[in-house]
Amino acid sequence: DGGITQSPKYLFRKEGQNVTLSCEQNLNHDAMYWYRQDPGQGLRLIYYSQIVNDFQKGDIAEGYSVSREKKESFPLTVTSAQKNPTAFYLCASSRNSGTTNTIYFGEGSWLTVV
Amino acid sequence: AQTVTQSQPEMSVQEAETVTLSCTYDTSESDYYLFWYKQPPSRQMILVIRQEAYKQQNATENRFSVNFQKAAKSFSLKISDSQLGDAAMYFCAYRFAGTASKLTFGTGTRLQVTL
């Protein structure tokens, strides 16, 4: 099946630890995105990548880091510098151009600080 | 910067009735896309409908249709014959038509469907 796979579904982080959320897609999409959603709120963009080995900061990039070494993969690291990381994280992907440039989402990952 | 505004935090509709969710946006671009996404309790973001700004005809997908008013920068979603499964958060979103541009979301409208 084609789609976007995020793992783990649930993750607990201790204070001061870095954690990495995985995102893999087999849709042959060029662009990938990470969004954060807090309870009762909309989605805010953390980072996005248009092509391999290139990425740009979104609206709330502080305390996060990403890499894009492969077209299929766009992992997100939540560092200890992120002061309030408890949230729902959504990965997404899309084609870069053309008429079919709808953004599709994975099922999300819950991160809780304990 | 583009902004998307959903002024209705919550809406309620009776089963089989029709409901309209409002969305306005602000942009200086002329070529863009607009979307409505549905987020059920599972939190999965599901595309409901999309509209290309260069098309004058309003998009429709079965029971879902939009009223796209480009000059007014308005993009409302109409759900006809509402079903219990339509209960969810609905997000309006904007995307510039340029290469790999980001998706900007509104704050969402929670739709309740009652018997």
Side-chain angles (χ1 to χ4, degrees):
Chain A
D1 283 345
I4 303 168
T5 302
Q6 290 187 237
S7 64
K9 178 72 173 176
Y10 299 95
L11 185 59
F12 298 89
R13 189 194 92 169
K14 292 182 179 179
E15 295 278 354
Q17 278 186 338
N18 293 353
V19 294
T20 297
L21 306 180
S22 170
C23 179
E24 303 277 335
Q25 55 96 3
N26 61 4
L27 301 168
N28 198 32
H29 284 169
D30 299 296
M32 297 187 74
Y33 312 80
W34 275 105
Y35 285 88
R36 168 178 171 148
Q37 186 178 29
D38 292 283
Q41 298 189 26
L43 280 69
R44 294 183 291 169
L45 182 66
I46 305 171
Y47 268 99
Y48 64 107
S49 168
Q50 300 180 24
I51 56 172
V52 174
N53 293 323
D54 185 52
F55 48 83
Q56 290 80 39
K57 292 182 179 180
D59 301 316
I60 55 165
E62 185 175 354
Y64 299 96
S65 66
V66 294
S67 63
R68 187 84 187 276
E69 297 176 1
K70 299 187 299 182
K71 186 176 184 178
E72 309 80 39
S73 180
F74 191 42
L76 174 73
T77 296
V78 184
T79 74
S80 57
Q82 171 49 241
K83 298 306 178 187
N84 185 22
T86 296
F88 185 63
Y89 291 85
L90 281 158
C91 178
S93 70
S94 72
R95 294 182 187 275
N96 262 344
S97 61
T99 57
T100 311
N101 65 352
T102 298
I103 293 180
Y104 297 94
F105 288 83
E107 295 187 346
S109 295
W110 284 98
L111 173 62
T112 303
V113 173
V114 296
Chain B
Q2 295 85 9
T3 58
V4 178
T5 301
Q6 294 178 249
S7 59
Q8 306 156 314
E10 291 191 11
M11 293 282 286
S12 183
V13 63
Q14 283 192 320
E15 197 176 19
E17 297 297 309
T18 295
V19 65
T20 298
L21 308 183
S22 300
C23 173
T24 58
Y25 59 95
D26 187 26
T27 183
S28 58
E29 305 292 345
S30 59
D31 194 11
Y32 51 87
Y33 299 88
L34 296 164
F35 305 86
W36 279 98
Y37 283 89
K38 170 185 177 181
Q39 188 179 44
S42 68
R43 292 281 187 145
Q44 174 82 48
M45 292 291 283
I46 302 166
L47 178 67
V48 175
I49 198 165
R50 58 175 266 158
Q51 174 79 43
E52 291 89 347
Y54 63 85
K55 289 187 178 179
Q56 292 185 343
Q57 186 174 8
N58 289 324
T60 62
E61 287 287 343
N62 301 316
R63 299 182 294 107
F64 300 88
S65 61
V66 298
N67 183 4
F68 173 48
Q69 301 291 327
K70 191 172 184 178
K73 296 181 181 175
S74 171
F75 182 60
S76 60
L77 175 69
K78 186 172 80 171
I79 305 174
S80 304
D81 186 25
S82 297
Q83 301 175 359
L84 293 177
D86 294 333
M89 283 289 288
Y90 286 82
F91 291 97
C92 178
Y94 163 98
R95 187 184 191 194
F96 171 54
T99 301
S101 59
K102 62 183 183 179
L103 200 60
T104 300
F105 287 87
T107 52
T109 296
R110 181 173 301 281
L111 178 65
Q112 293 183 325
V113 181
T114 59
L115 294 172

